[in-house]
Amino acid sequence: MYREHYGLKEPPFSITPDPRFVFLSERHRDALAHLLFGIGQGGGGGFVQLTGEVGTGKTTLCRLLLEQIPENSRVALVLNPRLTPMELLETICEELHLDIEGRRGSVKALVDTLNAYLLEAYAQGLCVVLVIDEAQNLSIDALEQVRLLTNLETDTQKLLQIILLGQPELRELLARDDLRQLAQRITARFHLTPLDGAETERYLRHRYAIAGGVHLPFTKDAIRRLHAHSGGVPRLLNVLAERSLLAGYARDETTLDARLVDLAAREALPPATRRRQFSKWAFVALPVVALALLAAVALHRAPSQVATAAPVMKRTAAATSVKPKPNAATPVLDADALTRRIAAVGASPSPVWQALLALWQLPTDDADAAIAAQCTPVLAPGVYCLRGRGGFDKLSAIGRPVLLHLHAGDRDAWALLLGSDALRARLRFADGVVDTDRLALQRTWNGDYATLWRAAPALELPLAPGSSGPAAAWVRARVSPDAAAGDAAVIDASMIDAALLQDVRRFQITHGLAADGVIGRETLFALAARDPGPHLLRTLD
């Protein structure tokens, strides 16, 4: 009806999941990488968990996943998880085309049939994946049955990879104490958040161009209103943009302003949704901005504090950033070339430590790099170092540059992880920057890493129950931001109490950390991940 008016070939904002219109933000790319990791890790075992608000694109990502699965994969997709444990087992077997006639109604018979299939698939070099959409609707008994399926294994690996897709309620469900056995088996977690303002504009332009449009009719103010009304949720953006186009057509307008968008929102959104969006922007944004300003002030002062720690970190005349820009000329190494590179560059970590120090705008001369490479817990006031062991997925989710200890036979080398997308990782070696396949990288890396991070000075490591003061307030502001922002007096008198430790456990669960409630260096590093500072590149094109 309005296509000719705007010069379009087809509706640009239909809510049907047409793959031609798919737009992947950085977070969508990260989420897809998590799902591909869950399939491509080759029997590493455990669960992969993807959550997100309604309309943020979980089902679209699931479709993309099914299009990109390796040829040696077999997938059982469960779309309706409101099933009894018995019905769930039957559905899984049916999805894998197993003959279960005469075995229905018997858990043992169904599990035996599934186990026999998995063993045969393993012998043929196949990877079997179970994907459960809307997993927040699984009953406790059904979740327990899913957990028990991970016990199907050989001496060296699990036979079934499991991916859980769900709304945020899934995270709350898996944080229950009686489901801690399942939560501990989740090896990769990702929460899909809505689009930010810049991504909203790119999303609108992308879909409009795919539909044949030349000039996006929305003004800058109209785009801001679309983002405010929708909260950056793609499904709501489609609804509002479509209704706005109709409103412009009805009024013979070719330029759509904020007034028309507001009118479309009143017509298309229920009152409860409009109130929720207003509440989100008016009452959440202000305390978040205030916390960000406080963090920026603290980090602005950090270099001067580093400078006073003269035998620990001597300041040089200038500490310039060496953060590389994405470059189409970046060489791409396959597994064999990566192995040769590791053997060639040598084991000295000093050059990549200097690169990491530069990213944090810290002194970078040889003496500073040597001190940093010792990785004492506190390098200088407000500057911390961490050596740990973990999975690539966890480090990618935290999103900070880290040093990876790589191995090729009897040779080893350190490389600085600068970025990653669904398929590749970008590394800085002592002799330059390269891209490589993520699976190839993980074959040369046993999980050892080292990194720097910044936080409030004088954090006790680890923070103990009963601790109070600025360090405890720093933790509370990040693990319980709503409570911390609600009352400044609470922050000043903050204490590491039982309630905060419970919030810490939930944070640890959702970020793939050991859910022990201990506020150690790894947990503090993850808590500081959203503070100002260098972050991993999310697109390597």
Side-chain angles (χ1 to χ4, degrees):
M1 180 169 60
Y2 60 77
R3 286 181 292 174
E4 184 176 346
H5 179 72
Y6 294 104
L8 299 169
K9 298 178 182 178
E10 55 187 312
F13 301 112
S14 171
I15 61 174
T16 56
D18 188 334
R20 292 181 302 119
F21 285 86
V22 169
F23 170 83
L24 294 181
S25 69
E26 290 186 7
R27 285 177 289 279
H28 286 81
R29 291 176 184 270
D30 288 345
L32 183 59
H34 279 66
L35 298 180
L36 291 171
F37 169 78
I39 292 178
Q41 60 182 318
F47 293 79
V48 175
Q49 171 190 309
L50 173 66
T51 55
E53 286 289 351
V54 175
T56 50
K58 300 185 297 298
T59 301
T60 299
L61 284 175
C62 184
R63 291 174 180 268
L64 289 175
L65 173 72
L66 295 179
E67 292 175 359
Q68 298 184 35
I69 58 173
E71 292 183 358
N72 68 332
S73 298
R74 301 294 180 268
V75 178
L77 177 61
V78 178
L79 297 175
N80 176 21
R82 290 187 178 274
L83 304 168
T84 66
M86 185 74 69
E87 291 170 336
L88 180 61
L89 284 173
E90 292 173 352
T91 300
I92 294 170
C93 291
E94 290 167 355
E95 283 288 310
L96 294 172
H97 308 290
L98 304 184
D99 182 8
I100 56 173
E101 292 305 318
R103 300 177 176 87
R104 295 180 183 273
S106 169
V107 171
K108 182 180 185 305
L110 292 170
V111 172
D112 286 347
T113 300
L114 181 58
N115 190 40
Y117 170 79
L118 294 175
L119 287 170
E120 182 179 354
Y122 170 70
Q124 297 176 9
L126 302 177
C127 175
V128 184
V129 183
L130 169 61
V131 180
I132 302 179
D133 199 6
E134 302 295 344
Q136 77 279 353
N137 292 324
L138 285 167
S139 67
I140 299 300
D141 290 340
L143 277 169
E144 178 62 14
Q145 181 60 69
V146 171
R147 182 187 71 81
L148 291 174
L149 292 180
T150 63
N151 290 333
L152 302 177
E153 58 189 359
T154 67
D155 290 339
T156 59
Q157 69 178 43
K158 303 288 186 181
L159 297 176
L160 183 65
Q161 305 294 295
I162 300 175
I163 296 177
L164 301 179
L165 310 178
Q167 296 172 20
E169 291 83 357
L170 178 61
R171 295 195 298 178
E172 299 173 8
L173 180 63
L174 296 180
R176 289 173 47 139
D177 189 63
D178 55 337
L179 290 175
R180 63 186 183 280
Q181 284 185 297
L182 189 153
Q184 290 172 1
R185 299 189 184 197
I186 297 176
T187 58
R189 293 175 171 84
F190 194 87
H191 184 67
L192 191 61
T193 55
L195 305 176
D196 63 25
E199 290 167 340
T200 292
E201 181 172 353
R202 292 199 297 271
Y203 176 85
L204 295 170
R205 292 187 182 281
H206 169 79
R207 293 189 67 107
Y208 198 79
I210 295 296
V214 178
H215 301 293
L216 186 71
F218 297 103
T219 66
K220 290 291 186 180
D221 285 342
I223 293 172
R224 282 192 286 269
R225 297 303 294 160
L226 283 169
H227 180 69
H229 283 300
S230 68
V233 174
R235 186 180 297 162
L236 292 179
L237 272 173
N238 288 343
V239 171
L240 291 174
E242 180 83 1
R243 186 60 63 92
S244 299
L245 290 175
L246 286 170
Y249 168 76
R251 291 162 176 78
D252 198 27
E253 299 278 358
T254 56
T255 299
L256 307 181
D257 58 17
R259 175 183 54 85
L260 284 177
V261 172
D262 290 340
L263 176 62
R266 287 195 295 272
E267 294 176 350
L269 297 180
T273 301
R274 295 200 297 269
R275 287 196 301 270
R276 183 164 60 249
Q277 294 305 327
F278 177 80
S279 173
K280 173 184 175 182
W281 288 96
F283 300 110
V284 175
L286 286 177
V288 170
V289 170
L291 285 173
L293 288 173
L294 289 173
V297 171
L299 286 172
H300 177 72
R301 294 174 177 174
S304 62
Q305 294 167 337
V306 172
T308 62
V312 182
M313 293 284 289
K314 183 182 67 177
R315 191 141 183 89
T316 58
T320 57
S321 174
V322 295
K323 182 177 181 179
K325 297 180 180 179
N327 191 326
T330 302
V332 179
L333 306 185
D334 60 18
D336 292 338
L338 178 62
T339 298
R340 292 193 296 270
R341 189 62 161 264
I342 294 169
V345 297
S348 173
S350 183
V352 288
W353 272 105
Q354 288 175 317
L356 181 59
L357 288 168
L359 290 181
W360 284 101
Q361 298 184 342
L362 293 169
T364 60
D365 64 20
D366 292 341
D368 294 315
I371 293 172
Q374 297 174 14
C375 202
T376 55
V378 181
L379 291 180
V383 181
Y384 301 86
C385 191
L386 168 67
R387 283 191 186 272
R389 189 180 180 89
F392 187 90
D393 190 70
K394 177 178 70 176
L395 296 179
S396 180
I398 291 173
R400 292 291 198 191
V402 294
L403 298 176
L404 307 180
H405 196 191
L406 307 181
H407 301 270
D410 60 350
R411 307 295 295 273
D412 68 313
W414 286 88
L416 175 59
L417 177 67
L418 297 172
S420 68
D421 59 17
L423 300 176
R424 291 178 295 157
R426 178 160 293 170
L427 302 174
R428 172 180 284 280
F429 284 98
D431 59 352
V433 176
V434 301
D435 287 350
T436 188
D437 181 82
R438 283 179 54 157
L439 295 179
L441 171 62
Q442 291 178 81
R443 285 196 290 269
T444 64
W445 178 57
N446 65 3
D448 290 336
Y449 70 91
T451 191
L452 300 177
W453 51 288
R454 273 180 166 158
L459 285 180
E460 301 89 354
L461 302 172
L463 288 170
S467 300
S468 61
W474 185 90
V475 172
R476 189 180 294 278
R478 285 152 181 78
V479 79
S480 308
D482 293 338
D487 187 347
V490 172
I491 299 178
D492 293 339
S494 183
M495 178 176 291
I496 306 294
D497 54 19
L500 180 58
L501 290 178
Q502 185 61 33
D503 288 341
V504 168
R505 290 189 183 92
R506 293 193 185 96
F507 176 88
Q508 290 170 331
I509 289 172
T510 58
H511 287 74
L513 306 173
D516 52 14
V518 176
I519 310 176
R521 284 189 290 161
E522 189 174 57
T523 297
L524 291 169
F525 170 56
L527 285 170
R530 293 189 177 181
D531 289 352
H535 289 85
L536 295 178
L537 298 172
R538 296 306 190 185
T539 56
L540 304 184
D541 298 328

